[in-house]
Amino acid sequence: MKRYKLIRYGMAAILTAILCLPAVWQTVAYPSVSDVWCYGMVAMLSIPAFCASLRARQWPRPHALDAIVLLWALYMACNYWFLSPYPATEDFREAEALCLAYAALRLAIPFCGKAFGAVWTTGLCLAGLYQIYTGIAQLAGWKPSHHYRYALTGTFFNPGPYAILVAIALTVAAAWLYNHKGAWTGLSRPDKIFRVTVYAMWVTGLPVLAATWSRTAWVALAVALTVMLWRGHRRMVLGGLAVVACLGVCLMP
């Protein structure tokens, strides 16, 4: 049993590394080169997925998201078949890579069980911390930006995907904090360290997110937090939405 647990945590660590590595390495100025690297990481996902399917000897149960992904893949394929080959060719290649990654994760994540959630949360938060540090260094002038028109890009080519990654990392960290509401005395030492890390991420991440001027990232963060707090704090969520609506009306010309 202990050996099987180590195998699941090892598989979760491999999946987390493959998924987080493209989010922290430096993006080159040539998109085609970056695409090739990302396609290689997607292909690597098929290896642990194949090993997991052999080990488990069973297929995951069908899910509604499977149908959504299948319909989206068919939509992209029809665009490629019936529309102009350019730029539909590049979109179709990216769609194929994403579908392959989804299928691989659907096979490997159920095999990992609860181990994947813990390892993935830690890995994504570490990636978010690294991106927040990179953004602060760019704002302070310690590191150069990767685009001459933007002062803040992280390791990405522009601030758009950078802000989305920071928003995702902050949301995952907040979800972990929300699900661990125990008193400080009831937490283990690793949990206390993680809790302090989450607070540090939010204190440093919100100013960085504001400096990106990404409205999409702010909307994504607000929607994710609203969904997370809706069940237990509906009055607070409704009050916050009312305040936001009033501010929006006041700011309208």
Side-chain angles (χ1 to χ4, degrees):
M1 180 63 69
K2 186 177 181 180
R3 181 182 177 183
Y4 186 69
K5 185 177 181 180
L6 291 176
I7 293 175
R8 288 187 298 174
Y9 271 94
M11 180 75 73
I14 293 173
L15 294 175
T16 300
I18 294 175
L19 293 172
C20 288
L21 186 58
V24 296
W25 64 26
Q26 179 177 339
T27 302
V28 297
Y30 304 98
S32 59
V33 178
S34 299
D35 290 342
V36 171
W37 288 352
C38 291
Y39 293 156
M41 302 306 290
V42 170
M44 289 180 61
L45 285 174
S46 61
I47 300 176
F50 178 73
C51 296
S53 60
L54 290 180
R55 180 77 180 183
R57 297 180 181 178
Q58 60 182 0
W59 295 94
R61 294 181 178 180
H63 193 271
L65 189 58
D66 300 338
I68 296 176
V69 173
L70 179 60
L71 292 176
W72 175 73
L74 291 176
Y75 169 77
M76 297 300 296
C78 290
N79 284 339
Y80 173 70
W81 291 331
F82 300 110
L83 297 181
S84 175
Y86 182 83
T89 302
E90 186 63 26
D91 294 338
F92 183 62
R93 290 174 57 193
E94 293 178 354
E96 284 183 317
L98 291 175
C99 289
L100 177 61
Y102 175 80
L105 293 175
R106 284 285 284 133
L107 291 173
I109 290 179
F111 172 79
C112 298
K114 295 181 179 180
F116 179 79
V119 177
W120 168 246
T121 301
T122 304
L124 186 59
C125 288
L126 290 177
L129 280 172
Y130 177 75
Q131 290 291 355
I132 291 173
Y133 161 75
T134 304
I136 294 175
Q138 289 175 344
L139 291 176
W142 303 335
K143 290 186 177 182
S145 173
H146 298 297
H147 197 291
Y148 70 96
R149 295 182 59 185
Y150 307 104
L152 183 62
T153 60
T155 60
F156 294 87
F157 189 66
N158 60 69
Y162 169 70
I164 291 297
L165 178 62
V166 173
I168 292 174
L170 292 178
T171 302
V172 171
W176 182 92
L177 193 66
Y178 182 76
N179 293 327
H180 293 74
K181 301 178 182 179
W184 282 84
T185 55
L187 295 174
S188 62
R189 185 176 182 85
D191 287 342
K192 291 181 180 180
I193 295 175
F194 207 100
R195 183 179 287 260
V196 172
T197 304
V198 170
Y199 288 140
M201 283 183 62
W202 272 83
V203 170
T204 57
L206 287 180
V208 170
L209 194 62
T212 62
W213 291 89
S214 176
R215 291 168 294 181
T216 304
W218 281 105
V219 171
L221 182 63
V223 170
L225 293 179
T226 300
V227 172
M228 182 181 66
L229 298 174
W230 177 252
R231 289 186 177 181
H233 305 278
R234 292 188 179 182
R235 292 184 179 180
M236 183 180 67
V237 172
L238 293 176
L241 292 176
V243 172
V244 171
C246 292
L247 291 176
V249 172
C250 295
L251 293 177
M252 291 179 63

